[in-house]
């Protein structure tokens, strides 16, 4: 299945946890943020991009949950490097 606005495939079986209005707001914010990163030439990490996409599409309810997932991801990497 594809979303009509983003044209990105909707993956996973997570339920949508927020309103359609909240999803549209998150899409605008994410687009602005990615534009800022591009201007500053900051690369996007493909290993963590799915967290942001799930948040943007309402499958993660809060930014606090995204931060926890990112922390767990990068902590795991740091421990593997040691």
């Amino acid at each position: 299945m594809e979303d009509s606005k983003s044209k990105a495939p909707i993956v996973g079986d997570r339920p949508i946890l927020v309103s359609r209005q909240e999803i549209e707001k998150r899409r605008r914010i994410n687009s602005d943020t990615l534009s800022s990163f591009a201007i500053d030439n900051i690369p996007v990490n493909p290993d963590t991009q799915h967290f942001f996409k799930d948040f943007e599409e309402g499958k993660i309810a809060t930014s606090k949950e995204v931060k926890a997932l990112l922390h767990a991801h990068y902590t795991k990497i740091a421990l593997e490097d040691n």
Side-chain angles (χ1 to χ4, degrees):
M1 174 167 39
E2 287 194 356
D3 182 284
S4 61
K5 292 208 185 245
S6 71
K7 299 297 181 206
I10 297 174
V11 296
D13 57 357
R14 289 181 143 188
I16 295 175
L17 304 172
V18 298
S19 70
R20 185 48 96 188
Q21 292 154 325
E22 178 65 17
I23 290 170
E24 292 301 322
K25 175 182 161 190
R26 290 176 182 192
R27 286 178 179 164
R28 283 191 307 275
I29 291 168
N30 192 47
S31 176
D32 291 346
T33 302
L34 290 175
S35 297
S36 295
F37 281 14
I39 290 169
D40 289 338
N41 206 23
I42 299 171
V44 175
N45 183 344
D47 294 334
T48 60
Q49 193 59 35
H50 65 281
F51 297 137
F52 298 102
K53 187 67 176 171
D54 283 348
F55 177 74
E56 179 183 339
E57 295 302 320
K59 296 177 181 181
I60 297 176
T62 66
S63 58
K64 185 177 180 179
E65 291 174 70
V66 174
K67 290 176 188 175
L69 290 167
L70 289 168
H71 178 74
H73 173 80
Y74 286 113
T75 299
K76 179 182 174 193
I77 289 175
L79 292 174
E80 290 172 355
D81 287 344
N82 288 327

